[in-house]
Amino acid sequence: MRALACLLILTPAALWAEDIPITSQVAAVTLYPQGGSVIREAAFSAPAGQHRLILADLPDSTPLASVRVSVDGAAMGGVALRNDYVPPRDDETDAALDAARAEVERLEEALRQGEAGVARIELEQQAAQSRVAFLEQLGHGESVAGMDAAALRDLAAMIGEETLAARQAALDAGLRADAADRALKDLREDLAKAREALRALVPQDTPRAMLAVSVDAKAATEGRVTVSYVIDKAGWQPVYDLKLARAEGALSIQRGAFIHQSTGENWRDVALSLSTLRPSEQTTPGEIWPWLRRIHDPEAIRPKTLMRGAADGMAEFAAPMAEAAPMVQEAQTRFDGLSVSYDYPGTVSVASGADRLRIALGTLDIEAETVARAVPLMDDRAFLMASFTNASDEVILPTGEARFYLDGRFTGQRAIELIPAGGEAELSFGPIDGLRLSRVVEQRSEGERGVITRSNGQQERVRIEVENLTDESWPVRLLDRVPYSEQDALEIDWSAQPAPDTTDAEDKRGVLAWSFDLAAGQSRAIILDYSLQWPKDQILQ
């Protein structure tokens, strides 16, 4: 035992394990539409020997199973993670935050002192009111029964004088209390503003998780710990400002992204990358299962009884039922094969649960052709459309945050779909109030009216008109429709004056399109006739 004690005394302390607290910061983030990947770093200094590097500043929401650790400057051993029983960490040191907290405390103390002064004045008022109540009771009762007239006069005079003085004191105290309380109005407003300023700094006072990394240093060293993990309380959304200069036929697409995060800690000066990958959604293709079909005699399907051979009958239907479930799952398949990444130059700062940061992703300049799209069946005015080809090498991503501008004027916000590189698209930049549309049914011949018609024939003539009330000429593309049939027994004939330029327009059967230029103050009419014939014993839907 004595030899062991001597050995322990002579062993250098540096060889024994030592816990070294270190502070980490988020260095880089890759965000997906939902979720992201975080890289945080922490520098450390350690003497020779075995140690544990303690990081007690990870957000409590960190999914510990996803944490990956690497160490530069020492050999790494085991890694321990916990989000319970985490040792206390140093308070956050931030000059602005400390100053805001101090200002709130100063104003709170000043308000407490001011309200205490108001309360003291109110006590004077209450004391004066108590004197009045006492004096009012003084002239009553048996105490004045034996007093002569002179004594009663003196008592009455004293009560009157003292009551007047007490009431005046109560009134004066009430006025001073009101004045003192009004004087605190500015102080209360300053305190409310100071509290708002403190909240705006988003102090990081949420619980934290702990990471302990065992290292072995052969000599005194300085190194760095890198920790990576995934998060789900963050993401980004594309945003576009689409600006059309109609006279020049120029479309400018200013791209950006909204960034948000609620991880429980503020990101300060982090490197940011954006990705369209969706690791939180389906990442493998659907599975195709064998599809067994059978024919049977309808009379053979009847309730089975639990007799000999019933088990064989139940087994007959067991296999198809087991195979049906994967087909339901397959019908819900969603697969996004698109992957685009953006590396943002510089760094960004995003407060947890507070900021919705917009960053710029550059501008695409595209040539566009404009046309007035007229759909009299649905609208009473035409709409300005810009058609273009995405000639860039980048994808225009789908988003609900697309804002449209025509010649510098805001025309609306709506969602847009994905436009791949090299893809064609047509976008609306709002109505043209001066291009008025009308669609009138001039003739109609049919049997019983209603949703279901039991006649064997139907005819209709429609007059379509576009009127240009503006002071300029417009290229117009007008769309309408005629019914179509996929049954030989249902015959459909139609005609139009003038004839359409395109039938089955936009790959839609029965949709007709006319293209023409409409001068200022002019109008254009189209007569559309169609008829349907079908057997008398059938009904039209």
Side-chain angles (χ1 to χ4, degrees), residues 216-238:
D216 188 355
K218 301 303 181 183
T221 183
E222 293 187 355
R224 181 171 297 274
V225 177
T226 301
V227 182
S228 62
Y229 51 90
V230 298
I231 54 176
D232 58 0
K233 296 181 179 179
W236 74 282
Q237 180 182 18

Side-chain angles (χ1 to χ4, degrees), residues 239-241 253-257 342 358-364 394:
V239 56
Y240 299 113
D241 290 341
I253 303 178
Q254 297 178 355
R255 301 169 302 153
Y342 299 95
R358 175 171 176 169
I359 62 174
L361 299 179
T363 301
L364 299 178
E394 300 188 34

